[in-house]
Structure formats: structure tokens, C-alpha cells
Amino acid sequence: MEEFFGSKKYKTANAKVSESCPSNIALIKYWGKYENQIPANPSISYTLSQCKTNTEIEFLADEKFSVQTFLSSTEEKKFAEKIEKYFKNIEAFLPWILKGKYIIRTENTFPHSSGIASSASGFGAIAKCLMEVDDLFCGKAEEDFKLKKASFLARLGSGSACRSLYNGLVVWGETKEVEASSDLFAVAFPSKDIHSIFKNFNDWVLLIHEGEKSVSSTVGHGLMTTNPYAERRFQEAHENFSTLKEILKVGDLKRFIQLVEHEALTLHAMMMMSEPAFILMKTGTLAVINKIWDFRKETDLPLFFTLDAGANVHLLFPRNKDEDKIKEFIIKELLQHTQNNGVVKDVMRF
Ligand code: DP6
């Protein structure tokens, strides 16, 4: 299958391309991987709309291979090293990639410290740019193929990035529940199988803790290799896919909430049961979760949460007649648990 994305004849020239790619938030989490960025279980995410990375790549042909990167106009040498390594890693799929010098300018529309996955939107945008350059050097490819290959390349940069290439609900990792799903790239979950209630959703990210995460994704994924509960977790992710597929079809919001929160807590439980152990929640995270549960009990309104591998809380709620009451509650009761009144307001992109 990988040969499908393999090398072609090319002719290089100076080039400049720019692309934009949104971030995504997983509902069934990817946590644990094998060699070559193969996920240990299938995952599914919502693609966001406001939280994006805009990237411009300038390619100078015939110069010695090197990468220079700027994040919001500031040179980032560490990031350049990472990209250099990434480019060397994908040469089999883009044979021209080491034949010139790169100047990469990138900016995120969301705060750097927000814990919103900048690696997902970042590698998504880079992969899209690379496919634009590939078109210039190898001849125009079909749009479908380009998207699939961009997702394939993004995965090799950061696993969750491969899901950011598509809108709506997006699946990465082979599962019998989704036709054409693959460990190598993401596919869009068929829109016809999604009830309308799930097509119009808010995601407000409460910035409980800004700054460096206590554990990087790379280390986190690695800890799953020795976690005694890992196999059961991978199996459960598969089971959750079957359940979610049915929930999405019939529009069962109650069970959706239950499943999504369970997934988030499982991710954190896995980290607590790792060796060494990590507790990624902060006091504010717990306070917010408890308030959400009380609020749901009292009002029966559909406000719920998911978490990434960090302390911040993604607040999920449908965009409908109830959303104003929910927003009021968030501002009045939940915002006080953030570090600097930080909240990033986004909606799902369908
Ligand atoms: C908790 O995609 O950041 O956000 O493949 O090592 O770059 P790498 O990991 P990354 O892991 C994301 C983990 C997660 C869950 C998810 O997005 O599915």
C-alpha cells in the first residue's frame, strides 16, 4: 500500500506555496502506537474551524538541503531540526524533498500555550504545502489522491495530524466499522451516517493551565508499551467504535456524552497507571468536571467535556436553542477555574 504513495519523475524549480490547516479534537483517542506511526487503535475526531495553522513554504532549488523555520516571525531552530528530520524521513514518498533549501513561515491562530494541538494543524499545513510543491514538480495529481497523500504524509509528522486534512468527523486507524479506514491515512466518516444533531457543535477550550505540558505525546505513547492495561484499552477503543457508529446514526446525545467523557477519562487513567505515573489534570480540571456533572444533573442540558493529554478542558455542546444558557453557565461558573480567564471559542467544521 505504501508504494501507492511512492516516487515519480520530477523537475525542481524555485517555488513558494502557502496553505492553512485546522486543528482537531479526538472523541475516541489515539494513545499508543507502533513503529512508523502505526496507531495501536482507531481514533475519531472533530475538525475545528477557528484554531488553525497558516504556513508558507519557500523552496530554493539547487541549494544545499537545509531548513529554516519562523513561528510568528521569530526564528525557531528546534522546530527546524524537527522538520529536517521529518523531510529526511519522507524522501521515499517525495523524491525531490532533499534537493533544495527551505524557508518555512508559520503562525497559529490560537495561543501557543493553549494546549490546542499545534502539531496536528502544523503538520497538516506542512503536508498540504508539500503536496502543492509536488504538483509543481511532478505534474498535477487528482484532488482525492492529493488529500489522501497529504494525510499520509501528515501522519508521519504527527499521528493526529492526519485527521486534520478532512472536515467533520474523521477516522484514522483500521476498523471494521468504517469502510476504507486505514492505519496509513485518515478518512472522513460518511456524512450520511451522522445524525444532524452531531453536525453543529461548539468546542470551547478552557485554558486551565498554560505553559509546557508535563508529558509530551511521544513519551505518553511510549508509556503504553509497558502499561499492563494497554491491550484492554486498545480493544475497548474498537468496541467504542461500534457503539459510537450506532449513536451517530440514531442521534443518541445521552450515550454520545457518556462515551466521549469515558474516552477522555480513560486516556487520563492510562497515564495514571503508567510507570512512571503522570497526573495530567490540575485542581481546576477536576473542579470543572464536577461542575459540569452537577449542571447536567440539575438542568439536563447537554454540556460535556473531553480532554487532551493535558489539564485544559474542551467543553462540547450542540449549537441550538439551549446554547445560550450553557454559555452563560460557562462564563459564570467555569471560567473562574482558568489561569487567565482563558477560553478559546471554536466550532466544528463540517
Ligand atoms: C491525546 O498525534 O500528538 O491528542 O503521533 O506522537 O505526534 P504523535 O502524537 P499526537 O498524539 C495525540 C494524542 C491525543 C489523542 C488524539 O488526538 O487522538
Side-chain angles (χ1 to χ4, degrees):
M1 180 72 201
E2 290 200 319
E3 299 83 70
F4 179 62
F5 296 115
S7 47
K8 280 182 291 180
K9 282 214 167 101
Y10 64 88
K11 193 172 183 327
T12 61
N14 288 348
K16 201 191 247 189
V17 296
S18 51
E19 284 288 346
S20 166
C21 186
S23 187
N24 70 75
I25 177 68
L27 303 174
I28 293 180
K29 308 286 180 183
Y30 147 58
W31 199 241
K33 62 176 164 182
Y34 308 121
E35 229 176 296
N36 298 324
Q37 293 283 94
I38 298 300
N41 64 261
S43 58
I44 183 166
S45 56
Y46 264 131
T47 297
L48 300 177
S49 29
Q50 304 303 324
C51 295
K52 284 191 282 199
T53 299
N54 302 318
T55 298
E56 179 195 88
I57 293 190
E58 194 177 346
F59 178 85
L60 302 166
D62 302 325
E63 290 205 30
K64 194 169 166 287
F65 173 64
S66 69
V67 178
Q68 203 177 7
T69 56
F70 296 87
L71 179 60
S72 306
S73 309
T74 309
E75 184 162 11
E76 291 278 343
K77 293 216 156 103
K78 267 231 156 70
F79 187 49
E81 279 169 28
K82 201 168 160 182
I83 300 300
E84 250 186 65
K85 215 165 121 195
Y86 169 61
F87 283 2
K88 285 180 183 159
N89 205 18
I90 58 176
E91 195 190 6
F93 311 109
L94 298 172
W96 48 264
I97 192 119
L98 304 181
K99 308 287 186 218
K101 175 184 164 152
Y102 293 83
I103 301 166
I104 302 179
R105 294 184 183 84
T106 182
E107 58 176 30
N108 297 326
T109 61
F110 47 91
H112 182 60
S113 57
S114 66
I116 293 168
S118 64
S119 70
S121 53
F123 275 103
I126 287 177
K128 279 169 93 172
C129 283
L130 294 178
M131 287 312 294
E132 286 308 313
V133 178
D134 196 59
D135 261 4
L136 297 172
F137 296 173
C138 303
K140 220 167 163 38
E142 285 209 2
E143 281 310 311
D144 268 8
F145 173 81
K146 247 171 95 177
L147 206 54
K148 202 178 259 188
K149 186 161 174 178
S151 175
F152 172 88
L153 293 172
R155 179 195 111 242
L156 296 171
S158 176
S160 56
C162 74
R163 297 186 309 237
S164 274
L165 275 293
Y166 297 88
N167 291 339
L169 284 166
V170 184
V171 175
W172 169 41
E174 205 175 320
T175 157
K176 64 177 177 24
E177 303 299 340
V178 182
E179 213 190 305
S181 57
S182 168
D183 286 344
L184 301 180
F185 48 80
V187 296
F189 189 88
S191 178
K192 66 171 180 25
D193 295 331
I194 307 171
H195 188 279
S196 58
I197 182 112
F198 301 120
K199 289 188 177 171
N200 216 351
F201 247 78
N202 292 292
D203 177 8
W204 283 20
V205 192
L206 285 181
L207 308 181
I208 305 285
H209 180 77
E210 303 189 32
E212 282 287 301
K213 285 190 192 169
S214 54
V215 58
S216 72
S217 303
T218 312
V219 171
H221 288 291
L223 289 171
M224 286 301 271
T225 53
T226 52
N227 188 318
Y229 298 91
E231 278 313 314
R232 178 64 195 113
R233 155 64 195 152
F234 301 148
Q235 197 186 334
E236 193 196 47
H238 279 277
E239 292 158 13
N240 285 347
F241 248 93
S242 314
T243 315
L244 182 64
K245 191 178 167 184
E246 190 204 316
I247 290 171
L248 291 174
K249 184 92 193 165
V250 300
D252 190 337
L253 190 53
K254 281 227 153 66
R255 282 173 71 212
F256 186 71
I257 292 175
Q258 207 176 7
L259 188 144
V260 170
E261 290 188 347
H262 176 77
E263 271 289 323
L265 295 174
T266 302
L267 167 70
H268 282 249
M270 285 296 129
M271 292 311 293
M272 288 188 214
M273 291 186 287
S274 293
E275 191 56 56
F278 286 95
I279 299 180
L280 304 177
M281 293 186 199
K282 300 278 181 207
T283 318
T285 317
L286 286 173
V288 165
I289 291 176
N290 280 309
K291 281 190 175 177
I292 291 173
W293 283 348
D294 287 345
F295 176 74
R296 269 216 312 273
K297 224 184 258 162
E298 281 161 24
T299 64
D300 215 23
L301 292 175
L303 169 65
F304 59 109
F305 68 88
T306 188
L307 307 164
D308 260 339
N312 298 333
V313 184
H314 286 253
L315 301 170
L316 304 175
F317 52 106
R319 297 174 74 189
N320 61 19
K321 59 175 179 23
D322 291 328
E323 71 179 328
D324 287 343
K325 279 183 229 151
I326 292 177
K327 286 177 183 171
E328 200 182 305
F329 168 75
I330 295 172
I331 305 294
K332 228 172 113 194
E333 294 293 336
L334 304 185
L335 206 57
Q336 57 187 278
H337 299 288
T338 60
Q339 220 172 13
N340 301 307
N341 271 334
V343 57
V344 176
K345 300 175 183 175
D346 211 335
V347 292
M348 307 316 174
R349 183 172 167 137
F350 260 90

